[in-house]
Amino acid sequence: GAVVSQHPSRVICKSGTSVKIECRSLDFQATTMFWYRQFPKQSLMLMATSNEGSKATYEQGVEKDKFLINHASLTLSTLTVTSAHPEDSSFYICSAQAGSNSGANVLTFGAGSRLTVL
Amino acid sequence: DAKTTQPPSMDCAEGRAANLPCNHSTISGNEYVYWYRQIHSQGPQYIIHGLKNNETNEMASLIITEDRKSSTLILPHATLRDTAVYYCIVRGNSGGSNYKLTFGKGTLLTVNP
């Protein structure tokens, strides 16, 4: 089945530094990928929609200059948390859709990347 | 996309069937019902989806009422590894960014030995 890989799975960084998280579709191409964030004991919240070859679409309240998304190829999207602060510590999860352009197709999720900002 | 309502938590004995309900009374005709689960500290895992008919796969069965206003996910023989948060999500099919899934709070299913 479709596999989405995220890297790194865990990252610890100092406040003020930038962190890049990669999301790859391993055996399929994805023109659209989605980035979610999940705080402890809360549900997943959609941050942005990553579109191959064009600008990402951000959800209301998500700062596009802080969370930079690059979808340079059909198998790779990256999320860069710029100037990270402790409040950015969270579980970041990406997802992508495999299959034909049909409403019945499912999203496959990565295993997530846990960011801890000291 | 239509909103869903799920109980916040449920318990089930190991080996017994787990029946997880979901209400989606405002679902529209072209919206599918999807079920995902999330085991602690992992990404969501797809379980099953359906439009009108009942569906079954190796993981679970999905029973959708005739009026499509509610559905039930059935895990026929729950194991301890099925302990997770189960999300019922309704989504349209117009493509592109509309393939995104909006997660509610889900149901925490705890399977007890």
Side-chain angles (χ1 to χ4, degrees), chain A residues 32 34 36 38 42-44 46 49 51 59 91 93 97 100-112 114, chain B residues 32 34 36 38 41-46 49 87 91-106:
Chain A
T32 302
F34 302 97
Y36 291 81
Q38 186 175 34
Q42 294 187 23
S43 188
L44 284 79
L46 180 66
T49 302
N51 303 299
E59 296 298 302
F91 193 47
I93 309 167
Q97 173 147 328
S100 62
N101 192 27
S102 164
N105 286 316
V106 302
L107 284 184
T108 299
F109 287 80
R114 186 162 302 283
Chain B
Y32 288 77
Y34 291 81
Y36 282 76
Q38 187 179 25
S41 294
Q42 298 182 24
Q45 176 190 22
Y46 165 77
H49 73 279
Y87 296 99
R91 188 190 76 177
N93 63 351
S94 52
S97 62
N98 291 310
Y99 286 136
K100 65 185 178 184
L101 294 173
T102 301
F103 287 80
K105 296 183 178 180

Side-chain angles (χ1 to χ4, degrees), chain B residues 16-74:
Chain B
R16 303 298 292 270
N19 298 286
L20 292 91
C22 179
N23 284 321
H24 31 79
S25 58
T26 59
I27 192 170
S28 60
N30 64 350
E31 289 182 318
Y32 288 77
V33 179
Y34 291 81
W35 283 84
Y36 282 76
R37 72 180 182 183
Q38 187 179 25
I39 296 170
H40 183 62
S41 294
Q42 298 182 24
Q45 176 190 22
Y46 165 77
I47 301 173
I48 198 167
H49 73 279
L51 183 63
K52 290 189 280 190
N53 300 322
N54 298 336
E55 303 288 346
T56 295
N57 62 20
E58 64 278 4
M59 289 183 68
S61 294
L62 174 60
I63 308 298
I64 302 175
T65 58
E66 192 168 342
D67 63 8
R68 302 212 317 129
K69 293 185 177 182
S70 65
S71 61
T72 301
L73 178 75
I74 301 173

